[in-house]
Amino acid sequence: MRPNIVFIMADDHAAHAVSAYGSKINHTPHIDRIAEEGVRLDNCFCTNSLCAPSRASILTGTYNHVNGVRTLSTEYDSSQPALPELLRVSGYQTALVGKWHLGHGPAHDPRGFDHWTVVPDQGRYHNPVFIRMDGSQHTVPGYATNVITDLSLDWLDRRDPERPFFLMVQHKAPHRNWEPEARYLDLFEGQDLPVPETFFDRYEGRAEAARAAKMRVAEHLRIDDLKKLLPPGLTEDEQALWKYQVYIKDYLRCVQSVDDNVGRVLDYLDEHGLSEDTLVVYTSDQGFFLGDHGWYDKRFMYEESLRMPYVMRYPREIPAGGTNADLVVNVDFAQTLLDYAGVEPHPRMQGRSFRPLLRGERPAGWRESVYYRYWEHDDGIHHVWAHYGVRTERHKLIYYYADGLGIPGASDRVFEPEWELFDLATDPWELHNRYHDPAYAAVRAELEAELARIQAEIGDTPHVRADA
């Protein structure tokens, strides 16, 4: 029997804001339930920490140099082979509700779905507008996270009960600018939430890219993010801490609504006798900085941005309460779900099914490193430099090549390239760059060789400076 599949994805929900991952700042009982009744992946990573590129990789099982979505300004070609169409052709009913963010129009709209209704671009938190399959738009009263779930459950009510289904529930929340629903406006009021250990990071000894980025809580949050004026008479550090509390509370209030609606989906499956036969995933399109290194947003290859939450439940096969620490990337998602559905992956796909890992079987040649590449160089808001690198179980090597390469959405400014190397065992917060440390010379050589190897394997082109 082939499982039904419900794939729930939030936008910018950091793993360290999920209590199943040990969050110190909030509690997510319904997401935790999926982990408790299934498995939690502890080393799941994105290959480009940006909304549209990650979504393209999840759909196609390919890296961004293959699927073409390298920045927010490079739209998705929906004619390329992808997970929904393969499932649909094999007999699944398919539906998508919520955030798409991969372009609109005949060449870019969702494909491979029997039903879809999506928000334009980022969408609105309140009274969201949706685009229908016929191109028409309509406004639905209410709070976006609740509405997206309402529409998803409505489709489940109308499906053919004799055929398996694949449903993608894709939330806008908790994307910037973090507008909570009314019932959570006072959540955390009167509390001082814990401040990250690296909040006052000064970036000493690291690449200039860290200092150049303009996404510091203390300096770059806008009035529409904070929604209130800074109290007078605060010192510089007090202002930073005040902004952090305002930011993180609104972010977590949005997360609370997401968690509630995960619970609604799980309850629906229980009430309709579908839980045993349905594979449920909860994830996010990438990680997010929650004041870590003083930042909000993502983009960097640092852990908080790189790491994705991923919990999955399938009672017929996955034992309850398990964890897995093997290296997994978002490029693997499509092939894994196809594996559970009994569908052959498309030859173009570059990931691998991690289904055997969840049975306690480690396939020969399973990856020993994760490849990452951020293409949207020095964009006009965040100014994070283009970079690529590899992460192994213990170490991370990052090369800031700092060149937009003429790609849409990237700057034409070019900066001096720099390297960073971190030992995650002794420096989990990534504060000490060991690239030029003689004690790490052998590690550096190994990582540089691995970077070259994996680029050749997946067909990505190493950067070559024009003045080299």
Side-chain angles (χ1 to χ4, degrees):
M1 182 175 181
R2 299 199 291 171
N4 306 307
I5 302 171
V6 176
F7 183 88
I8 308 172
M9 183 163 65
D11 192 318
D12 294 344
H13 188 186
H16 54 308
V18 177
S19 43
Y21 283 91
S23 171
K24 299 177 181 178
I25 53 176
N26 70 324
H27 182 47
T28 52
H30 303 294
I31 298 170
D32 294 358
R33 180 185 163 194
I34 300 174
E36 290 160 2
E37 297 176 357
V39 66
R40 183 190 74 215
L41 301 190
D42 287 345
N43 281 314
C44 180
F45 303 103
C46 61
T47 52
N48 183 350
S49 189
L50 206 54
C51 300
S54 180
R55 291 161 188 270
S57 289
I58 289 168
L59 287 168
T60 65
T62 62
Y63 290 85
N64 296 131
H65 64 280
V66 173
N67 61 54
V69 185
R70 292 176 290 187
T71 72
L72 297 178
S73 300
T74 49
E75 295 181 311
Y76 177 69
D77 175 4
S78 59
S79 69
Q80 61 188 301
L83 169 66
E85 182 69 16
L86 292 172
L87 289 173
R88 186 177 184 229
V89 168
S90 79
Y92 273 76
Q93 302 164 87
T94 58
L96 164 67
V97 180
K99 181 171 175 177
W100 174 242
H101 202 227
L102 288 166
H104 300 292
H108 313 298
D109 280 336
R111 183 183 174 198
F113 296 98
D114 297 302
H115 168 80
W116 59 261
T117 182
V118 298
V119 298
D121 299 316
Q122 295 291 351
R124 300 195 309 224
Y125 271 106
H126 294 91
N127 302 323
V129 174
F130 285 84
I131 303 173
R132 298 186 179 100
M133 293 180 73
D134 63 6
S136 64
Q137 297 190 18
H138 65 123
T139 300
V140 181
Y143 185 69
T145 311
N146 301 328
V147 171
I148 288 168
T149 305
D150 292 341
L151 296 175
S152 299
L153 299 184
D154 178 67
W155 180 79
L156 285 176
D157 282 337
R158 294 182 287 107
R159 78 191 193 285
D160 176 358
E162 301 302 316
R163 295 167 54 208
F165 62 82
F166 172 58
L167 169 62
M168 302 188 84
V169 184
Q170 303 200 157
H171 292 294
K172 169 194 171 50
H175 193 278
R176 190 180 187 184
N177 58 346
W178 314 298
E179 297 177 16
E181 65 174 309
R183 64 176 167 156
Y184 286 132
L185 286 173
D186 294 328
L187 184 66
F188 307 113
E189 203 63 33
Q191 300 180 45
D192 282 333
L193 297 181
V195 179
E197 295 188 33
T198 59
F199 184 71
F200 288 109
D201 189 356
R202 303 303 182 201
Y203 319 119
E204 289 96 345
R206 305 229 289 288
E208 184 61 30
R211 278 178 288 274
K214 297 189 183 302
M215 50 191 204
R216 286 188 285 279
V217 170
E219 300 174 46
H220 302 118
L221 286 174
R222 305 179 305 234
I223 188 65
D224 60 326
D225 298 317
L226 299 169
K227 309 170 197 72
K228 58 182 72 175
L229 296 176
L230 191 71
L234 301 180
T235 67
E236 196 171 284
D237 283 354
E238 288 171 341
Q239 290 179 25
L241 291 169
W242 180 88
K243 290 178 181 179
Y244 166 75
Q245 293 293 332
V246 172
Y247 153 58
I248 199 63
K249 288 175 183 178
D250 272 352
Y251 176 92
L252 294 176
R253 289 162 180 153
C254 295
V255 167
Q256 207 66 42
S257 296
V258 172
D259 187 69
D260 288 347
N261 280 280
V262 170
R264 290 180 61 203
V265 173
L266 297 179
D267 289 346
Y268 181 98
L269 297 176
D270 286 346
E271 291 161 7
H272 290 79
L274 296 169
S275 295
E276 285 295 310
D277 299 317
T278 302
L279 188 158
V280 179
V281 171
Y282 180 82
T283 188
S284 174
D285 49 3
Q286 67 262 317
F288 209 71
F289 294 110
L290 305 179
D292 316 280
H293 302 288
W295 292 324
Y296 58 90
D297 211 75
K298 57 264 183 180
R299 300 168 186 264
F300 275 105
M301 197 183 169
Y302 292 154
E303 286 294 284
E304 297 87 358
S305 167
L306 178 68
R307 184 179 299 277
M308 304 170 72
Y310 190 103
V311 293
M312 183 163 73
R313 185 189 77 178
Y314 181 35
R316 290 205 179 275
E317 181 170 320
I318 299 173
T323 62
N324 181 272
D326 290 290
L327 300 177
V328 166
V329 292
N330 56 356
V331 173
D332 298 326
F333 293 3
Q335 287 190 227
T336 301
L337 297 180
L338 289 170
D339 189 356
Y340 279 102
V343 179
E344 285 295 314
H346 193 278
R348 181 174 182 256
M349 291 181 168
Q350 296 176 290
R352 293 184 70 178
S353 170
F354 51 79
R355 182 183 186 183
L357 299 175
L358 307 185
R359 294 194 297 245
E361 305 164 7
R362 197 169 195 274
W366 189 262
R367 72 170 55 81
E368 301 290 341
S369 69
V370 165
Y371 180 68
Y372 180 89
R373 185 162 188 172
Y374 174 75
W375 300 79
E376 194 168 282
H377 170 64
D378 188 41
D379 77 288
I381 299 174
H382 307 88
H383 297 279
V384 175
W385 295 358
H387 57 285
Y388 54 65
V390 288
R391 184 203 190 277
T392 64
E393 183 180 342
R394 173 164 178 168
H395 297 103
K396 182 182 296 182
L397 180 71
I398 308 173
Y399 177 52
Y400 296 96
Y401 61 91
D403 184 345
L405 303 173
I407 295 170
S411 166
D412 60 3
R413 300 196 299 171
V414 178
F415 304 101
E416 194 65 25
E418 295 181 86
W419 292 86
E420 288 180 332
L421 190 159
F422 298 109
D423 185 335
L424 301 173
T426 62
D427 179 27
W429 305 120
E430 298 170 292
L431 298 174
H432 306 288
N433 180 12
R434 303 298 186 186
Y435 185 77
H436 297 290
D437 185 340
Y440 283 81
V443 172
R444 184 180 70 202
E446 290 174 6
L447 291 171
E448 289 175 343
E450 176 61 10
L451 176 60
R453 185 202 67 78
I454 199 168
Q455 284 185 319
E457 179 183 272
I458 66 172
D460 196 12
T461 303
H463 179 260
V464 178
R465 294 187 68 86
D467 57 359

